[in-house]
Amino acid sequence: MRVFERLKAAAGDDWRSYTEHRFVAGLGDGTLPAAAFRTYLVQDYLFLIQFARAYALAVFKGRTLADMRSAHRGVSAILDVEMDLHVKLCAAWGLSPEMLEATPEARATTAYTRFVIDTGLRGDLLDLHVALSPCVIGYAEIARRLAAAPAGSAPENPYREWIAEYAGDAYQDVAASAIAKLDDLGAYSLTERRFEGLTAIFAQACRLEADFWQMGLDESR
Ligand SMILES: Cc1ncc(CO)c(N)n1
């Protein structure tokens, strides 16, 4: 079984609480309150800045040029593509770059991003990629599922652009490479004993993703 599938199976309930969160259901059927989505968008901008730092750490931790180049492509995908798209999406929701910059991080944003960075600092490249994987691969899986349901791409769903972005080929390719990277790294450093520690990292990242959705709901009330 692929490393990612094993981690997902081992973290079962935490994976489901993240990918089937009430916020996700609201994106899918369009019932998510707009205020919750705006709160989420602002925090996700701050999240992406820190996420780029986490990917940059993967360049530093790379053992081979191939590792370093693939991590570098990740940094560039965030800084040059995803952030631009994010700013455009924010503008469509009435959120200016000035406002994005001026908002402080919510605790859920700080907790999640610094957990990923710390995991990478104290561990090796496999630990770091496992900590990153619920974000990268989780969003691809969520968006694929939402896009496949009629309500997810209905013209009246205000979140269809968000769904289409993450369900699109470019992002799905990024997620497929992340799955391959885990197999790649696992092939030379994944022992049975180590798998337990990796599952703990993966499950914690899933819980922090669920908290991130929840923050969108709670902080917009
Ligand atoms: C919180 C969060 N997780 C994952 C992604 C996917 O990049 C994102 N943009 N935000």
Side-chain angles (χ1 to χ4, degrees):
M1 209 195 298
R2 305 195 77 171
V3 172
F4 178 72
E5 292 301 325
R6 287 182 63 196
L7 289 166
K8 199 167 116 172
D13 286 346
D14 289 316
W15 178 259
R16 279 185 293 278
S17 303
Y18 155 38
T19 57
E20 295 171 24
H21 194 278
R22 192 153 56 86
F23 191 106
V24 174
L27 288 170
D29 63 14
T31 59
L32 179 74
F37 189 61
R38 280 203 191 85
T39 300
Y40 162 82
L41 281 181
V42 174
Q43 288 302 318
D44 207 42
Y45 177 81
L46 303 173
F47 168 92
L48 288 171
I49 295 171
Q50 298 305 318
F51 206 56
R53 294 181 62 221
Y55 253 106
L57 184 55
V59 179
F60 180 82
K61 290 267 177 173
R63 290 211 253 176
T64 64
L65 267 180
D67 285 342
M68 294 170 74
R69 288 192 176 115
S70 67
H72 181 251
R73 281 193 294 274
V75 176
S76 158
I78 298 168
L79 293 180
D80 303 332
V81 185
E82 200 174 351
M83 300 260 331
D84 272 1
L85 287 169
H86 201 83
V87 168
K88 285 196 190 105
L89 186 59
C90 285
W93 283 81
L95 304 164
S96 67
E98 294 75 26
M99 157 177 207
L100 295 173
E101 299 285 351
T103 307
E105 284 184 3
R107 277 168 285 190
T109 310
T110 307
Y112 188 15
T113 55
R114 295 340 184 264
F115 167 75
V116 175
I117 292 171
D118 182 62
T119 298
L121 282 172
R122 79 180 151 79
D124 67 7
L125 196 59
L126 179 57
D127 292 308
L128 176 55
H129 275 288
V130 166
L132 290 166
S133 66
C135 329
V136 182
I137 306 168
Y139 268 45
E141 184 177 308
I142 288 169
R144 233 177 17 243
R145 191 180 73 235
L146 299 184
S153 41
E156 63 273 18
N157 185 332
Y159 307 115
R160 69 187 179 285
E161 274 177 54
W162 184 94
I163 294 169
E165 187 53 52
Y166 286 104
D169 289 345
Y171 193 79
Q172 293 292 324
D173 285 351
V174 171
S177 320
I179 290 175
K181 189 84 208 164
L182 289 176
D183 287 337
D184 219 39
L185 293 170
Y188 65 84
S189 55
L190 185 52
T191 58
E192 276 316 308
R193 185 184 299 175
R194 192 162 173 200
F195 186 70
E196 228 173 277
L198 292 176
T199 302
I201 292 171
F202 186 86
Q204 178 73 338
C206 289
R207 290 190 289 269
L208 290 161
E209 276 283 3
D211 287 354
F212 200 89
W213 295 131
Q214 191 60 43
M215 169 269 296
L217 298 178
D218 292 346
E219 306 219 353
S220 59
R221 278 185 306 198

